[in-house]
Structures are given as structure tokens and as C-alpha cells.
Amino acid sequence: MKIFLDSTDIEYITRLRPTGMIDGITTNPSLMAQSDKGFEEVLRDICTLIEGPVSAEVVVTEAGEMYRQGRYLASLADNIVVKLPCTWEGMTACRKLADENIGVNVTLCFSANQALLAAKAGAMFISPFIGRIDDTGADGMELIEEIRSVYDNYGFETEILAASIRNVEHVKNAALIGADVATLPPKIFEALIEHPLTDKGLEKFLQDWKATGQNMPIP
Ligand code: E4P
């Protein structure tokens, strides 16, 4: 499963880049609002740091305007993917952009039927929002399962991008179901490595090594 970061934090992205694990970035207008830089600068900086897809969201609702804003966003860097909301207007703009080989990430997906339409409109990614579904009392992960089945039934190539991830269980379950991508807030990405037995085991290994009195050189 590919891992994207759901962030506009340039310092954080710069710090994590050497791990080689960041396959792409997602942004949205709310994340842009958290940055003290303008959106163009943010997008250009991110696209310089990360080779993979960088999702940039339109902020209009009419199909023609979405299409034009999408083309403008895509002109900022080769790896920009245009994020469009899952509405009929969004579907129309998606088809037009996809026909011009501009990648589209259809966002705010809350049903398998919406995901079916996005795939038929040529979306590169569909973004089901797991956490926001959980917030309503339903199980967001069921939607990932449903979309996986629908896409596999018909061989759609649209990638399932598990979004609105709130905890490490979401990440594990998305991977088990076969989501193609999960986009993670920084704190969830960091938490993926944590396990108390790793910490305990490491402490014991280092303690035992220290007791040998030996030194291992760092050439
Ligand atoms: C992904 O593309 C979305 O921007 C993001 O995952 C939304 O997450 P939230 O529901 O925590 O805002």
C-alpha cells in the first residue's frame, strides 16, 4: 500500500523525505488554511520535495470553473493531481480533465455508488473518508471493502485512497482490505512505528551489550 501524507507542512515533509516512504501528498483547503504561505508556494515546494502525486483541490463548484481551475493547478507542476468533490459538477470536470490526461482525485466520497461514478468519470484516485463516516456511528472501513469489491468486479483502475484516517487501526485495516493508498496525518504516520515490545526489547539488547564492556566502531 502506498503511503501519502495529508499535510501542507513543508518542514515536516522535508524531514520525512529521507525515509523514502512518502509516495505522495494530499492537501485540501482546510490544510492550506493552516499554512502561513500562499497555496502556490506550498504546492510548488511540496512538488519539488516529493516526486509522487500531490493532490491540490479546486475551490469552486461549477463544472466549467472546476475544469479551468483544475487545468491551472495542473500547470503548477507535473505531479499535481486535481482534487474535485464527488458531485455531478465534479464528475463532469473529472471527465474533461481525465480526457486531457490530467490526474484527478475525487474527494469527499461517502458511498460505493459515488466511487463507481468517479471510476466511470476517469478518476485516478477515489478518496473515501473513513474517519468522517466513523464519526456518524457507521463503520468507514466497510466502505473501503465495498469499493474494493466494486472496482475488482469490473477491473476499474481508479486507485482507492483511504482518507480521513484517524488511528493506526485504520491504516492496518485499509492495508488488509487492499486499499491502494492511505493518506495519513503526520501524527498517525509517526505512530505506525510504535510498539512497546520494540522499546522494551531494544532497551534489554543495549543493556546486555553494555555489560560486555566492548565497543563497536562506527567507521
Ligand atoms: C484527504 O485527502 C483529506 O484531505 C483528509 O484525509 C480529510 O481528513 P479529515 O476528515 O481528518 O479532515
Side-chain angles (χ1 to χ4, degrees):
M1 184 170 73
K2 284 174 265 190
I3 293 181
F4 289 2
L5 277 185
D6 198 28
S7 176
T8 51
D9 185 337
I10 306 293
E11 272 179 37
Y12 190 79
I13 295 167
T14 305
R15 188 150 57 79
L16 288 187
R17 189 172 170 249
T19 65
M21 291 182 197
I22 309 305
D23 301 303
I25 302 285
T26 51
T27 70
N28 63 36
S30 306
L31 290 170
M32 281 297 174
Q34 289 170 19
S35 175
D36 50 9
K37 295 180 180 177
F39 75 95
E40 280 191 28
E41 189 182 351
V42 171
L43 290 172
R44 286 189 207 280
D45 285 354
I46 295 175
C47 289
T48 307
L49 286 167
I50 300 292
E51 279 180 27
V54 175
S55 290
E57 190 157 342
V58 301
V59 287
V60 284
T61 55
E62 189 273 322
E65 290 179 351
M66 284 190 200
Y67 166 72
R68 290 193 294 280
Q69 214 166 65
R71 288 197 67 180
Y72 158 73
L73 287 169
S75 75
L76 296 177
D78 289 344
N79 51 337
I80 291 273
V81 168
V82 177
K83 219 170 172 190
L84 300 174
C86 199
T87 60
W88 282 120
E89 299 288 319
M91 294 299 99
T92 303
C94 179
R95 173 43 66 199
K96 283 189 82 175
L97 291 167
D99 284 347
E100 294 180 17
N101 290 321
I102 293 174
V104 175
N105 173 358
V106 172
T107 190
L108 291 168
C109 170
F110 294 94
S111 79
N113 284 336
Q114 288 180 320
L116 173 63
L117 295 177
K120 289 179 78 67
M124 180 181 279
F125 298 105
I126 183 71
S127 289
F129 275 36
I130 300 170
R132 293 195 196 186
I133 293 175
D134 287 357
D135 290 345
T136 69
D139 181 0
M141 209 48 71
E142 280 178 11
L143 177 57
I144 304 289
E145 274 175 333
E146 288 177 0
I147 299 173
R148 182 74 282 155
S149 296
V150 171
Y151 283 8
D152 289 349
N153 284 347
Y154 300 101
F156 286 121
E157 289 179 4
T158 301
E159 295 191 37
I160 301 172
L161 196 169
S164 187
I165 285 198
R166 302 275 167 79
N167 54 56
V168 293
E169 281 295 298
H170 279 158
V171 182
K172 182 185 80 178
N173 290 328
L176 285 170
I177 292 166
D180 300 284
V181 191
T183 188
L184 313 185
K187 65 171 193 251
I188 304 296
F189 179 74
E190 286 185 4
L192 291 181
I193 200 80
E194 287 166 14
H195 198 288
L197 291 180
T198 302
D199 297 339
K200 196 176 163 194
L202 180 60
E203 196 183 329
K204 178 78 167 83
F205 283 155
L206 293 177
Q207 204 178 55
D208 290 347
W209 174 252
K210 200 172 172 190
T212 71
Q214 300 178 78
N215 284 315
M216 198 181 295
I218 302 170

